[in-house]
Amino acid sequence: QEDKPQHALRLYQEAVAYLPDHAPLALQLVNTALKQGRFKLSRRTVEGMWQMNPHPDLVKAYGKIYAQETAERRLKKFSRLL
């Protein structure tokens, strides 16, 4: 049986699959995934959503993913959104 955070993550993934261009929903998925240490899922979600709907809050979420990186490395990562 899934625990609540894992269940919430799965539900957000299903919802994003159903509404793939809805940025606020994707942000909920990203925040839930980050709380669980799922950085790869968070990164892929932001990058994919950015291609469909470049919402400004996605940039903030992307910054959370790379918060521990050096400024130079973060700049390199952020270039993926260009």
Side-chain angles (χ1 to χ4, degrees):
Q1 182 179 3
E2 290 179 316
D3 59 1
K4 288 182 181 183
Q6 189 65 24
H7 182 69
L9 184 67
R10 186 175 56 78
L11 290 176
Y12 280 127
Q13 286 176 298
E14 290 174 9
V16 167
Y18 185 71
L19 296 169
D21 63 343
H22 189 68
L25 188 56
L27 287 164
Q28 289 295 325
L29 170 58
V30 169
N31 289 328
T32 302
L34 284 174
K35 288 177 186 173
Q36 296 179 31
R38 304 278 308 268
F39 295 99
K40 185 176 180 180
L41 174 60
S42 298
R43 178 185 55 81
R44 286 189 349 231
T45 301
V46 171
E47 290 173 0
M49 177 59 65
W50 186 261
Q51 297 301 315
M52 290 183 279
N53 183 3
H55 193 281
D57 288 342
L58 291 170
V59 175
K60 293 176 189 174
Y62 208 62
K64 290 179 188 177
I65 297 168
Y66 297 110
Q68 302 302 315
E69 301 286 345
T70 64
E72 182 180 334
R73 187 141 167 88
R74 283 197 339 249
L75 180 62
K76 184 178 177 181
K77 298 293 184 178
F78 272 83
S79 70
R80 293 179 181 172
L81 299 181
L82 299 177

